Amino acid sequence: LIGRANLPIAVLSLDTAAAAGTVRFNDRLTDEPVSRLYQRMVDDRGTAAGLDLPAGTKKITGVVSTPVDRAERPLAVAVSMLVTSANGNAWRLPAATGTSDGHAVRFDVELPDVGVPLRLAGFEADGGDTAGTIYRLRISDLRLVGADGSAQPAGLTDTWVLRVPESDLPQRADTTGT
């Protein structure tokens, strides 16, 4: 795999509930029997993040705006939809390109037809190099569209919140020193 800035990435994913009979580790590498280690990982699993999509959902539509306070120049902000499946697959699907002036842009994203239930895990916005003070991502009118073309509101709750990696947060200089 090649990651951002063409840096190589290695990803290992396994289903710990089924791994004990398939993936073998040397017991000397752990402080407990490997089967107990796998079971502990299964027991410690959190609830999967996101919204389970109803069976038959073929696409998701909505409106996105990406206003940027004090933008140094007009900016394009790429917005992607993050979709996952219970079997561990994940997709980053391009949704829309917003502008720093906050103009609303409609999006219509076809979901992959993979034969398993999908989950809307979130949205990601990438505005490139920093050129403003505050970036916002607003998603509205989110609808789930079935195979027959009928649309229903996604029904998101107030548990959906913005998460910013700590490394992306602005750092303040210490001005209290001597």
Side-chain angles (χ1 to χ4, degrees):
L1 294 171
I2 299 295
R4 192 173 196 136
N6 294 323
L7 298 174
I9 304 171
V11 177
L12 171 65
S13 175
L14 60 107
D15 178 2
T16 54
T22 308
V23 179
R24 295 188 182 130
F25 281 108
N26 188 321
D27 282 328
R28 293 181 296 160
L29 299 175
T30 69
D31 294 333
E32 60 187 309
V34 174
S35 61
R36 193 173 317 149
L37 175 68
Y38 285 136
Q39 188 57 50
R40 189 166 45 83
M41 286 189 246
V42 169
D43 294 343
D44 289 346
R45 282 183 186 168
T47 304
L51 173 72
D52 289 322
L53 299 175
T57 302
K58 298 297 181 188
K59 64 182 169 180
I60 299 177
T61 65
V63 176
V64 63
S65 64
T66 55
V68 177
D69 288 357
R70 293 189 215 126
E72 295 172 5
R73 62 186 180 281
L75 300 171
V77 179
V79 178
S80 299
M81 184 182 306
L82 308 174
V83 178
T84 61
S85 65
N87 62 1
N89 291 316
W91 296 266
R92 180 181 290 124
L93 306 171
T97 299
T99 56
S100 54
D101 64 3
H103 179 76
V105 178
R106 282 202 108 351
F107 65 86
D108 188 335
V109 178
E110 297 282 333
L111 297 173
D113 186 9
V114 294
V116 295
L118 296 175
R119 172 184 292 271
L120 174 59
F123 291 86
E124 178 181 77
D126 186 347
D129 292 335
T130 302
T133 56
I134 298 175
Y135 287 67
R136 290 184 175 83
L137 172 62
R138 295 182 179 132
I139 308 288
S140 60
D141 197 28
L142 200 60
R143 299 193 172 280
L144 311 177
V145 180
D148 63 356
S150 64
Q152 63 181 359
L156 297 182
T157 66
D158 60 1
T159 60
W160 280 68
V161 295
L162 176 65
R163 297 281 187 221
V164 177
E166 189 171 323
S167 63
D168 288 347
L169 294 175
Q171 303 299 313
R172 295 180 187 251
D174 183 5
T175 58
T176 62
T178 58

